[in-house]
Amino acid sequence: MLVPVFSLKLNHRINPRMVTVGKYDGTHPCLTAATQAGKIFIHNPHTRSQHFVSNNLLQGGLDSNTSLLNINQNVSCLTAGVLNPGLRRDMLLVGTQTNLLAYDVHNNSDVFYKEVADGANAIVLGQLGEIPSPLAIIGGNCTLQGFDQDGNDLFWTVTGDNVRSLALCDFDGDGKKELLAGSEDFDIRVFKEDEIMAEISETETITALCHMHGSRFGYALANGTVGVYDRATRYWRIKSKNHAMSIHAFDLNSDGVCELITGWSNGKIDARSDRTGEVIFKDNFTSCVAGIVEEDYRMDGQKQLICCSVEGEVRGYLPADQEMRGNLMDTNAEQDLIRELSQRKQNLLLELRNYEENSKVALSAFGGDGDGQIGIIPANTQLQTGLSVNVDTANQRPHVELSISTSNDTIIRAVLIFAEGIFDGESHVVHPSAHNLSGQIFVPIIPPKDIPVDLHIKAYVGYRNSMQFHVFELTRQLPRFSMYAQCTPGTASEPQSYVTFTVSDRVQRVVMWMNQNFLIPDDIECTSIPLDVCFTTLRDGGQLNIKMNANGEVTVRTEDIDLAGELIQSMASFLAIEDLQVEADFPAYFEELRQILVQMDDYHSVHQKLTAEMADHSNLVRSLLVRAEDARLMGDMKSMKKGYTELYDLNRDLINGYKIRCNNHTELLSCLRAVNQAIQRAGRLRVGKPKTQVISACRDAIKNNNVNALFKIIRAGSTSS
């Protein structure tokens, strides 16, 4: 059994997901974590006589090994690493909802302090692509931003939603690291510098990402799921009723390959094989796990896996030696084998009993009760499935309908469907009552997002009085744009908003793309040019028109800018288009965005005014306090009472002003998020270099407060167009 080689009990609570370790003097590793009241503690057991002391920044902690750093704001993320390669020591990076601090612990000084309007929810430090210097990359309110050692903003791009996790990984195997960003819209996006090279859809918010080795990385979701991907292919995943608080890659069994170490909300720590997800080690804390890191904390030449709980308990584990390899848990191989064989014995006995019961029933049936089909179905029985769009339903809103039927007079007793992101708990069971049994079952499906989904179906097939049923298993894929019903062109008014672009492929290829990605009763045939296909959106009843002429000009008309972006990305992927320039016009959305920009200017003005008023009130507080104390010392109680009354009123005004400022800041963040999402949507309308250029140009237009240029860029792709 693997046991800790050291354990500590620190006198500080630790905030979940905010643990790191750094060599701030270049030699001695220090455990660093965010704690209560906007403070960060630094545990350094190697230089007991050294204390960091400064003006309200670093102060000695409750013991000689611990120092405290006062941030005076709620810490939202932190990490440590080499930001300046020339110094050969780590810097501490601390993110809050308004600022990013790079701190030199060794010299007790700020490296830089940057205001970040979009906040810092996640942070990672390292090399990105071909950018020469290490970057401190933060993910915030729909944005990603990277700062170098001097605080220069060398990297900026937008993403689909609030960023919750970041990691660096050589995703494409070119020797340069790409950025993995997990966000609240359930997507993992892979950025090759500022260009998205892959998107992976999951079923919940991605709360943690970690690079394992090569192109392989681990992930954790808010619903208790953890797993491993190799590029865009998922190797395995497991789901727990507890939440994964921290994940880390560490070779615990010394086999040369990192395992995925997970710390859970119930205090459990487990190590799983990166190939299969099999548990090879587990241990328990008495409280929630706060973070997992690795470092040679004992400075004996061997790195330890360091696990921390929210109560301040710390344990360090060494990798297994040769004797212990393969036996990390408190069990042995013989016990595991006995347990496995016992389970197999139970399964075989159950299967044998079922066969015996079937034989008895069959013999009694042949003996005269006339029903020889109990538990036995014809050998040629098949399970058939079909997908269709159901627009008009009295009791249900429009949906995709999955029909499951048998090929003869057998009945379906129950159906179990597994599908990611469609059903609550990712599964759905249909179990008709005994008097409603038939050979056909209809299941309504309403996909919340336009992504292709595999439906894994298990059906119990038999007869009405069967005691045992045959299980049929099959998989059916739901097309990406299944929530759109084909309709006749001209039956409804065309949307005013549109995108138009030119492709070099033949019309037949675009028709093939439609047939693969939409649920169409009869495949579209290219009988005439120009092509004109119309759909109705089942979610809101909106119209979608797709037209293409003989010159390869494609026009997509829809009021939904997100749908237009999804269609363009899907078509570009199918047709292998690397660069695509698009002209777009969404009048209603542009007017909404214009109103948001006006509101944002108003909120900025109010923010500046409130900040100035608060500064004036703070100066007045000092003056009133001095006057009131002078009056007290001089025995002038009347003046003292008057001074403290004015001070009380001023304090109340300050508190009210602070509440107004907080509300104003919340509204301002909401506007910033909408603007960042607008830039991301403008990028989604393009592919390749035009996409990168549009995002960069949009940001420059916002920096220069040039609203007209912003809309021109979103429409045409560049200000010169």
Side-chain angles (χ1 to χ4, degrees), residues 83-99:
L83 187 61
N84 184 349
L87 294 179
R88 296 185 180 179
R89 65 174 185 267
D90 293 343
M91 299 295 160
L92 177 62
L93 283 301
V94 182
T96 69
Q97 287 305 313
T98 54
N99 301 97

Side-chain angles (χ1 to χ4, degrees), residues 151-374:
N152 299 318
D153 184 358
L154 298 187
F155 169 74
W156 186 92
T157 190
V158 290
T159 186
D161 209 331
N162 286 335
V163 178
R164 288 297 170 197
S165 51
L166 295 172
L168 292 167
C169 169
D170 184 8
F171 187 82
D172 57 0
D174 65 349
K176 302 180 182 67
K177 289 191 175 181
E178 285 75 44
L179 177 66
L180 308 178
S183 52
E184 291 181 356
D185 61 356
F186 308 170
D187 280 351
I188 301 172
R189 294 179 176 86
V190 184
F191 290 86
K192 196 172 184 67
E193 294 188 17
D194 53 4
E195 180 182 343
I196 294 180
M197 65 180 299
E199 290 184 74
I200 303 168
S201 292
E202 270 298 336
T203 57
E204 250 293 355
T205 299
I206 294 90
T207 55
L209 292 165
C210 76
H211 176 230
M212 300 197 69
H213 59 88
S215 57
R216 199 169 296 184
F217 63 92
Y219 72 98
L221 306 183
N223 63 3
T225 299
V226 295
V228 168
Y229 275 96
D230 191 350
R231 299 190 181 179
T233 303
R234 185 166 58 208
Y235 267 37
W236 58 267
R237 64 167 180 160
I238 61 101
K239 189 174 181 181
S240 169
K241 63 181 179 181
N242 301 300
H243 299 292
M245 306 306 294
S246 179
I247 58 175
H248 189 78
F250 188 79
D251 183 11
L252 199 60
N253 61 357
S254 303
D255 65 348
V257 179
C258 288
E259 286 75 48
L260 183 66
I261 318 295
T262 309
W264 299 90
S265 57
N266 65 344
K268 185 176 75 171
I269 291 198
D270 59 39
R272 294 177 181 270
S273 164
D274 73 316
R275 305 172 190 86
T276 63
E278 177 190 0
V279 177
I280 65 167
F281 168 74
K282 58 186 176 183
D283 201 355
N284 285 284
F285 282 89
T286 56
S287 59
C288 171
V289 175
I292 302 173
V293 292
E294 67 173 272
E295 189 51 77
D296 180 10
Y297 210 58
R298 301 193 304 175
M299 299 189 69
D300 59 1
Q302 261 190 311
K303 284 193 174 183
Q304 299 97 40
L305 179 73
I306 304 171
C307 306
C308 310
S309 77
V310 295
E311 296 295 336
E313 184 181 357
V314 181
R315 297 179 192 169
Y317 300 87
L318 275 176
D321 55 25
Q322 293 292 328
E323 295 178 1
M324 195 180 293
R325 186 187 298 182
N327 186 26
L328 303 186
M329 292 193 288
D330 191 14
T331 58
N332 56 49
E334 289 79 6
Q335 289 176 330
D336 290 339
L337 184 59
I338 290 170
R339 191 181 298 112
E340 182 185 347
L341 290 173
S342 297
Q343 186 64 48
R344 287 175 61 186
K345 178 184 176 182
Q346 291 296 325
N347 293 338
L348 289 169
L349 286 172
L350 181 62
E351 190 175 347
L352 181 61
R353 189 164 69 246
N354 287 339
Y355 281 126
E356 289 173 349
E357 288 180 4
N358 276 344
S359 299
K360 289 177 183 178
V361 172
L363 287 172
S364 64
F366 285 123
D369 67 1
D371 189 359
Q373 296 175 324
I374 298 176

Side-chain angles (χ1 to χ4, degrees), residues 444-590:
I445 297 174
I446 304 176
K449 296 170 69 176
D450 292 328
I451 55 174
V453 178
D454 286 332
L455 304 174
H456 302 282
I457 304 166
K458 294 185 178 183
Y460 293 3
V461 177
Y463 287 93
R464 287 182 179 274
N465 49 357
S466 294
M467 299 300 293
Q468 284 86 35
F469 295 88
H470 291 257
V471 179
F472 285 77
E473 297 186 31
L474 54 89
T475 300
R476 182 73 187 262
Q477 188 176 67
L478 196 65
R480 182 170 187 170
F481 302 105
S482 55
M483 287 291 285
Y484 302 86
Q486 188 180 7
C487 58
T488 306
T491 55
S493 58
E494 279 193 344
Q496 296 298 308
S497 304
Y498 68 89
V499 291
T500 181
F501 53 92
T502 302
V503 296
S504 57
D505 287 83
R506 295 175 293 116
V507 177
Q508 287 82 355
R509 289 275 292 158
V510 176
V511 168
M512 192 183 300
W513 165 76
M514 285 189 196
N515 289 330
Q516 286 190 15
N517 287 274
F518 289 84
L519 266 182
I520 301 169
D522 301 309
D523 283 355
I524 301 170
E525 294 183 3
C526 186
T527 55
S528 61
I529 298 177
L531 176 71
D532 189 357
V533 185
C534 181
F535 298 92
T536 300
T537 305
L538 300 188
R539 294 188 180 97
D540 58 12
Q543 294 295 302
L544 167 64
N545 291 45
I546 302 175
K547 298 179 181 179
M548 182 175 180
N549 61 26
N551 298 326
E553 185 178 84
V554 179
T555 301
V556 178
R557 287 190 171 273
T558 176
E559 298 295 346
D560 188 346
I561 190 171
D562 288 314
L563 173 58
E566 293 293 337
L567 289 165
I568 288 169
Q569 296 300 318
S570 175
M571 190 183 295
S573 175
F574 183 84
L575 301 176
I577 299 172
E578 293 184 359
D579 297 306
L580 182 66
Q581 180 58 280
V582 171
E583 289 188 13
D585 191 21
F586 291 84
Y589 180 72
F590 288 168

